[in-house]
Amino acid sequence: MDMLSKIRRAAENDLATLFRAKELMSAPKALKELEQWERLYREIKTPSGGVIYLSDKANESFLRLVETVGANLPSRDFVLSDDIYQACKMELGRMYEQEAPQKTIAPFLTSLEAAMQRKIMMHRFYTTLDGLSLCGVDQMRIGRLNVQTPDLAILESCVANEAMISGTWARMKRGLWISAEITGSRGYAERRFFEDVKAACGLLAVSLTTVLERGGCAVRLTPSMDGRVRPSAATWFSIETLSNELCTSSSMKGFQSITLDASHVEGLQTSEWFSELTKIIQGDSDSDAEHAVRRAIYWFFDAQADTSAEMQLVKFWSCIECFFSFENSGETTSKIKRGLTALLTLGDFGFSSLETWRDLEKEIEALYDLRSRAVHDARHSHVSDSDITKVSKWAAWAILEITGLISKGHDSRVKIKEQTDRLSAMLQKQGDGVKP
């Protein structure tokens, strides 16, 4: 665990501060001087059940020490910052019970690394997915993730009592399952898993939006996760008083399940752009352009999963802004209008025809104005399904076009902007009667 001498000295000074008696508070003193939540925040528990509280200075030293540990721990890429924070508290509690604890940073880091290694293991996560079904095929691979039909045998092979297995099956037998194996602490692995799930669902949503007539209005892929309500989880019903007929409703407006058969699955998995997008969303590249695509896929997932028309429109525009809203010097609308028009008209996929590019440009400006009214003027009920369909398709095809540019070596938004500026100039010449 190599560390610069300057950083080592600072860390050991912080560690020394945490062992000065005057910087530690007893429980009665903490009770008198600190509010309840502040006491809990500064509390250090020892293995035997004792409690010590940090003074203002000691707490500042502790937070700096946690930051230093987080930057130098070998296992830092497989754990959460909270894992490190809690481990530092536990290690300090253990050291407070020692007669002569070592107050140098090396053994402190060694002990923490050992604690982290005990937390790091392989986890296999499963969650449910509504809005999609498979026909004629049991599973579909999306990089390291697997989309499959529910399988009771997987639950029955686990170490658990029968009630837990049957209860889990009752909640998860509907829809599809998404699974992946991730190494790390449980908290880290769970967070990484759901990041992958959102990205995979975003990728599928982009794919479906490009081919469905209603675009993003016809897609709603909803994985079971924190902050997401399954379509079956919130329903209501009514009874016609004359006929006594039961009518049920779902909180998911316009929800439908899209079926992929074996040919659809094979078509996606063999598609060059699908493979490229999978590599981008699951890769660790620091390329500015790939970061932009990952952000766009996140917003696409969030947009298609939303139930508010206004927020769907805003979020689909956020996908597009990932590529065009930078270095604009206050000309965001103009840059988006021209860049998106050029990309959709002269890009490899030819989403729009050359003859109608001016109409497309006007439509882009009008629908971006709807977004601005929602964001800046708090307008609502001014967005139609047709508006969402159009913007979702623009966003989906823009993501595909940008992916194509990345595969050709455009690894930054600056390079992408240079290309879209060139295409835009070609369109302007077309408008002036010059053939591009």
Side-chain angles (χ1 to χ4, degrees), residues 330-358:
E331 300 177 351
T332 300
T333 302
S334 176
K335 294 294 184 181
I336 287 177
K337 178 180 68 175
R338 292 184 178 182
L340 184 59
T341 301
L343 198 63
L344 296 178
T345 303
L346 298 177
D348 290 341
F349 291 97
F351 171 82
S352 182
S353 68
L354 189 60
E355 291 75 21
T356 59
W357 74 269
R358 286 198 180 278

mmCIF file of all heavy atoms in Angstrom, residues 330-358:
data_model
loop_
_atom_site.group_PDB
_atom_site.id
_atom_site.type_symbol
_atom_site.label_atom_id
_atom_site.label_comp_id
_atom_site.label_asym_id
_atom_site.label_seq_id
_atom_site.Cartn_x
_atom_site.Cartn_y
_atom_site.Cartn_z
ATOM 1 N N GLY A 330 -24.440 29.505 -24.154
ATOM 2 C CA GLY A 330 -25.792 30.037 -24.083
ATOM 3 C C GLY A 330 -26.645 29.779 -25.309
ATOM 4 O O GLY A 330 -27.739 30.321 -25.437
ATOM 5 N N GLU A 331 -26.148 28.971 -26.252
ATOM 6 C CA GLU A 331 -26.894 28.697 -27.488
ATOM 7 C C GLU A 331 -27.350 27.245 -27.530
ATOM 8 O O GLU A 331 -27.329 26.594 -28.575
ATOM 9 C CB GLU A 331 -26.017 29.012 -28.700
ATOM 10 C CG GLU A 331 -25.550 30.462 -28.764
ATOM 11 C CD GLU A 331 -24.617 30.726 -29.928
ATOM 12 O OE1 GLU A 331 -24.198 29.747 -30.589
ATOM 13 O OE2 GLU A 331 -24.292 31.888 -30.180
ATOM 14 N N THR A 332 -27.802 26.728 -26.398
ATOM 15 C CA THR A 332 -28.155 25.317 -26.297
ATOM 16 C C THR A 332 -29.228 24.926 -27.302
ATOM 17 O O THR A 332 -29.086 23.932 -28.026
ATOM 18 C CB THR A 332 -28.646 24.995 -24.870
ATOM 19 O OG1 THR A 332 -27.599 25.287 -23.956
ATOM 20 C CG2 THR A 332 -29.023 23.525 -24.760
ATOM 21 N N THR A 333 -30.305 25.691 -27.361
ATOM 22 C CA THR A 333 -31.416 25.339 -28.258
ATOM 23 C C THR A 333 -30.969 25.282 -29.701
ATOM 24 O O THR A 333 -31.295 24.347 -30.433
ATOM 25 C CB THR A 333 -32.568 26.354 -28.099
ATOM 26 O OG1 THR A 333 -32.998 26.372 -26.742
ATOM 27 C CG2 THR A 333 -33.746 25.968 -28.986
ATOM 28 N N SER A 334 -30.203 26.288 -30.117
ATOM 29 C CA SER A 334 -29.736 26.337 -31.511
ATOM 30 C C SER A 334 -28.812 25.173 -31.823
ATOM 31 O O SER A 334 -28.926 24.535 -32.883
ATOM 32 C CB SER A 334 -29.013 27.663 -31.759
ATOM 33 O OG SER A 334 -28.462 27.705 -33.056
ATOM 34 N N LYS A 335 -27.890 24.850 -30.899
ATOM 35 C CA LYS A 335 -26.945 23.755 -31.136
ATOM 36 C C LYS A 335 -27.665 22.411 -31.190
ATOM 37 O O LYS A 335 -27.342 21.554 -32.022
ATOM 38 C CB LYS A 335 -25.881 23.733 -30.035
ATOM 39 C CG LYS A 335 -24.965 24.949 -30.027
ATOM 40 C CD LYS A 335 -24.108 25.008 -31.265
ATOM 41 C CE LYS A 335 -23.127 26.179 -31.180
ATOM 42 N NZ LYS A 335 -22.282 26.273 -32.398
ATOM 43 N N ILE A 336 -28.627 22.218 -30.294
ATOM 44 C CA ILE A 336 -29.380 20.961 -30.301
ATOM 45 C C ILE A 336 -30.180 20.843 -31.588
ATOM 46 O O ILE A 336 -30.203 19.784 -32.235
ATOM 47 C CB ILE A 336 -30.298 20.882 -29.071
ATOM 48 C CG1 ILE A 336 -29.476 20.633 -27.809
ATOM 49 C CG2 ILE A 336 -31.347 19.770 -29.236
ATOM 50 C CD1 ILE A 336 -30.278 20.615 -26.531
ATOM 51 N N LYS A 337 -30.840 21.915 -31.976
ATOM 52 C CA LYS A 337 -31.678 21.901 -33.185
ATOM 53 C C LYS A 337 -30.846 21.550 -34.423
ATOM 54 O O LYS A 337 -31.208 20.655 -35.193
ATOM 55 C CB LYS A 337 -32.325 23.277 -33.352
ATOM 56 C CG LYS A 337 -33.176 23.419 -34.601
ATOM 57 C CD LYS A 337 -33.790 24.815 -34.691
ATOM 58 C CE LYS A 337 -32.714 25.859 -34.932
ATOM 59 N NZ LYS A 337 -33.304 27.213 -35.139
ATOM 60 N N ARG A 338 -29.734 22.226 -34.584
ATOM 61 C CA ARG A 338 -28.923 21.991 -35.783
ATOM 62 C C ARG A 338 -28.190 20.653 -35.722
ATOM 63 O O ARG A 338 -28.132 19.921 -36.717
ATOM 64 C CB ARG A 338 -27.913 23.130 -35.950
ATOM 65 C CG ARG A 338 -28.570 24.456 -36.293
ATOM 66 C CD ARG A 338 -27.537 25.538 -36.552
ATOM 67 N NE ARG A 338 -28.180 26.802 -36.917
ATOM 68 C CZ ARG A 338 -27.518 27.908 -37.237
ATOM 69 N NH1 ARG A 338 -26.184 27.900 -37.232
ATOM 70 N NH2 ARG A 338 -28.157 29.014 -37.549
ATOM 71 N N GLY A 339 -27.625 20.349 -34.558
ATOM 72 C CA GLY A 339 -26.870 19.101 -34.440
ATOM 73 C C GLY A 339 -27.744 17.876 -34.598
ATOM 74 O O GLY A 339 -27.387 16.931 -35.309
ATOM 75 N N LEU A 340 -28.909 17.869 -33.936
ATOM 76 C CA LEU A 340 -29.808 16.724 -34.021
ATOM 77 C C LEU A 340 -30.384 16.578 -35.427
ATOM 78 O O LEU A 340 -30.484 15.467 -35.955
ATOM 79 C CB LEU A 340 -30.937 16.872 -32.999
ATOM 80 C CG LEU A 340 -31.925 15.703 -32.900
ATOM 81 C CD1 LEU A 340 -31.202 14.407 -32.542
ATOM 82 C CD2 LEU A 340 -33.010 16.011 -31.864
ATOM 83 N N THR A 341 -30.752 17.692 -36.044
ATOM 84 C CA THR A 341 -31.270 17.641 -37.420
ATOM 85 C C THR A 341 -30.242 17.037 -38.364
ATOM 86 O O THR A 341 -30.560 16.157 -39.178
ATOM 87 C CB THR A 341 -31.651 19.053 -37.904
ATOM 88 O OG1 THR A 341 -32.646 19.608 -37.051
ATOM 89 C CG2 THR A 341 -32.189 19.007 -39.327
ATOM 90 N N ALA A 342 -29.011 17.475 -38.246
ATOM 91 C CA ALA A 342 -27.955 16.962 -39.117
ATOM 92 C C ALA A 342 -27.704 15.482 -38.877
ATOM 93 O O ALA A 342 -27.561 14.696 -39.824
ATOM 94 C CB ALA A 342 -26.669 17.759 -38.872
ATOM 95 N N LEU A 343 -27.677 15.088 -37.598
ATOM 96 C CA LEU A 343 -27.390 13.694 -37.264
ATOM 97 C C LEU A 343 -28.482 12.761 -37.793
ATOM 98 O O LEU A 343 -28.187 11.691 -38.341
ATOM 99 C CB LEU A 343 -27.278 13.558 -35.745
ATOM 100 C CG LEU A 343 -26.569 12.312 -35.195
ATOM 101 C CD1 LEU A 343 -25.118 12.290 -35.641
ATOM 102 C CD2 LEU A 343 -26.659 12.291 -33.675
ATOM 103 N N LEU A 344 -29.737 13.159 -37.640
ATOM 104 C CA LEU A 344 -30.851 12.304 -38.065
ATOM 105 C C LEU A 344 -31.042 12.301 -39.580
ATOM 106 O O LEU A 344 -31.585 11.345 -40.134
ATOM 107 C CB LEU A 344 -32.149 12.764 -37.388
ATOM 108 C CG LEU A 344 -32.202 12.648 -35.866
ATOM 109 C CD1 LEU A 344 -33.525 13.175 -35.328
ATOM 110 C CD2 LEU A 344 -31.983 11.203 -35.422
ATOM 111 N N THR A 345 -30.579 13.351 -40.238
ATOM 112 C CA THR A 345 -30.766 13.447 -41.693
ATOM 113 C C THR A 345 -29.597 12.856 -42.478
ATOM 114 O O THR A 345 -29.794 12.133 -43.452
ATOM 115 C CB THR A 345 -30.964 14.924 -42.100
ATOM 116 O OG1 THR A 345 -32.076 15.470 -41.379
ATOM 117 C CG2 THR A 345 -31.241 15.034 -43.602
ATOM 118 N N LEU A 346 -28.384 13.146 -42.035
ATOM 119 C CA LEU A 346 -27.204 12.725 -42.794
ATOM 120 C C LEU A 346 -26.404 11.628 -42.098
ATOM 121 O O LEU A 346 -25.337 11.258 -42.562
ATOM 122 C CB LEU A 346 -26.293 13.929 -43.055
ATOM 123 C CG LEU A 346 -26.907 15.050 -43.907
ATOM 124 C CD1 LEU A 346 -25.929 16.210 -44.041
ATOM 125 C CD2 LEU A 346 -27.296 14.536 -45.291
ATOM 126 N N GLY A 347 -26.933 11.097 -41.001
ATOM 127 C CA GLY A 347 -26.256 10.005 -40.300
ATOM 128 C C GLY A 347 -26.352 8.696 -41.068
ATOM 129 O O GLY A 347 -27.059 8.591 -42.081
ATOM 130 N N ASP A 348 -25.652 7.688 -40.581
ATOM 131 C CA ASP A 348 -25.587 6.396 -41.273
ATOM 132 C C ASP A 348 -26.939 5.706 -41.380
ATOM 133 O O ASP A 348 -27.185 4.950 -42.326
ATOM 134 C CB ASP A 348 -24.605 5.470 -40.547
ATOM 135 C CG ASP A 348 -23.165 5.930 -40.705
ATOM 136 O OD1 ASP A 348 -22.891 6.722 -41.632
ATOM 137 O OD2 ASP A 348 -22.305 5.509 -39.908
ATOM 138 N N PHE A 349 -27.833 5.937 -40.392
ATOM 139 C CA PHE A 349 -29.105 5.218 -40.387
ATOM 140 C C PHE A 349 -30.190 5.920 -41.193
ATOM 141 O O PHE A 349 -31.251 5.335 -41.452
ATOM 142 C CB PHE A 349 -29.592 5.003 -38.947
ATOM 143 C CG PHE A 349 -28.744 4.040 -38.172
ATOM 144 C CD1 PHE A 349 -27.743 4.496 -37.322
ATOM 145 C CD2 PHE A 349 -28.917 2.662 -38.302
ATOM 146 C CE1 PHE A 349 -26.954 3.609 -36.610
ATOM 147 C CE2 PHE A 349 -28.133 1.767 -37.596
ATOM 148 C CZ PHE A 349 -27.145 2.248 -36.748
ATOM 149 N N GLY A 350 -29.974 7.166 -41.601
ATOM 150 C CA GLY A 350 -30.923 7.874 -42.442
ATOM 151 C C GLY A 350 -32.329 7.923 -41.877
ATOM 152 O O GLY A 350 -33.297 7.593 -42.562
ATOM 153 N N PHE A 351 -32.451 8.342 -40.622
ATOM 154 C CA PHE A 351 -33.771 8.393 -39.981
ATOM 155 C C PHE A 351 -34.717 9.322 -40.731
ATOM 156 O O PHE A 351 -35.894 9.029 -40.912
ATOM 157 C CB PHE A 351 -33.622 8.866 -38.530
ATOM 158 C CG PHE A 351 -34.926 9.152 -37.841
ATOM 159 C CD1 PHE A 351 -35.664 8.118 -37.292
ATOM 160 C CD2 PHE A 351 -35.418 10.453 -37.755
ATOM 161 C CE1 PHE A 351 -36.878 8.363 -36.655
ATOM 162 C CE2 PHE A 351 -36.630 10.711 -37.123
ATOM 163 C CZ PHE A 351 -37.360 9.663 -36.578
ATOM 164 N N SER A 352 -34.217 10.480 -41.182
ATOM 165 C CA SER A 352 -35.055 11.461 -41.865
ATOM 166 C C SER A 352 -34.531 11.690 -43.275
ATOM 167 O O SER A 352 -33.329 11.568 -43.530
ATOM 168 C CB SER A 352 -35.055 12.780 -41.079
ATOM 169 O OG SER A 352 -35.880 13.738 -41.679
ATOM 170 N N SER A 353 -35.422 12.035 -44.180
ATOM 171 C CA SER A 353 -35.013 12.241 -45.575
ATOM 172 C C SER A 353 -34.423 13.637 -45.760
ATOM 173 O O SER A 353 -34.753 14.582 -45.034
ATOM 174 C CB SER A 353 -36.208 12.073 -46.516
ATOM 175 O OG SER A 353 -37.136 13.127 -46.334
ATOM 176 N N LEU A 354 -33.571 13.770 -46.740
ATOM 177 C CA LEU A 354 -32.912 15.033 -47.018
ATOM 178 C C LEU A 354 -33.906 16.105 -47.448
ATOM 179 O O LEU A 354 -33.725 17.289 -47.159
ATOM 180 C CB LEU A 354 -31.849 14.812 -48.116
ATOM 181 C CG LEU A 354 -30.893 15.962 -48.402
ATOM 182 C CD1 LEU A 354 -30.097 16.322 -47.151
ATOM 183 C CD2 LEU A 354 -29.945 15.578 -49.537
ATOM 184 N N GLU A 355 -34.987 15.674 -48.092
ATOM 185 C CA GLU A 355 -35.971 16.623 -48.603
ATOM 186 C C GLU A 355 -36.769 17.310 -47.496
ATOM 187 O O GLU A 355 -37.332 18.388 -47.698
ATOM 188 C CB GLU A 355 -36.939 15.913 -49.559
ATOM 189 C CG GLU A 355 -36.324 15.461 -50.878
ATOM 190 C CD GLU A 355 -35.438 14.235 -50.714
ATOM 191 O OE1 GLU A 355 -35.623 13.512 -49.701
ATOM 192 O OE2 GLU A 355 -34.556 14.026 -51.567
ATOM 193 N N THR A 356 -36.846 16.692 -46.332
ATOM 194 C CA THR A 356 -37.710 17.238 -45.280
ATOM 195 C C THR A 356 -36.921 17.755 -44.073
ATOM 196 O O THR A 356 -37.465 17.920 -42.990
ATOM 197 C CB THR A 356 -38.703 16.160 -44.799
ATOM 198 O OG1 THR A 356 -37.969 15.031 -44.289
ATOM 199 C CG2 THR A 356 -39.605 15.699 -45.935
ATOM 200 N N TRP A 357 -35.626 18.034 -44.251
ATOM 201 C CA TRP A 357 -34.818 18.392 -43.095
ATOM 202 C C TRP A 357 -35.257 19.704 -42.446
ATOM 203 O O TRP A 357 -35.179 19.861 -41.228
ATOM 204 C CB TRP A 357 -33.338 18.433 -43.458
ATOM 205 C CG TRP A 357 -32.884 19.608 -44.274
ATOM 206 C CD1 TRP A 357 -32.839 19.686 -45.627
ATOM 207 C CD2 TRP A 357 -32.395 20.862 -43.784
ATOM 208 N NE1 TRP A 357 -32.358 20.902 -46.027
ATOM 209 C CE2 TRP A 357 -32.069 21.646 -44.911
ATOM 210 C CE3 TRP A 357 -32.192 21.401 -42.522
ATOM 211 C CZ2 TRP A 357 -31.566 22.944 -44.817
ATOM 212 C CZ3 TRP A 357 -31.693 22.689 -42.409
ATOM 213 C CH2 TRP A 357 -31.386 23.448 -43.537
ATOM 214 N N ARG A 358 -35.764 20.652 -43.260
ATOM 215 C CA ARG A 358 -36.217 21.916 -42.672
ATOM 216 C C ARG A 358 -37.451 21.700 -41.792
ATOM 217 O O ARG A 358 -37.597 22.315 -40.735
ATOM 218 C CB ARG A 358 -36.515 22.944 -43.762
ATOM 219 C CG ARG A 358 -35.273 23.527 -44.395
ATOM 220 C CD ARG A 358 -35.572 24.815 -45.124
ATOM 221 N NE ARG A 358 -34.385 25.383 -45.726
ATOM 222 C CZ ARG A 358 -33.495 26.119 -45.085
ATOM 223 N NH1 ARG A 358 -33.637 26.343 -43.790
ATOM 224 N NH2 ARG A 358 -32.442 26.628 -45.713
#
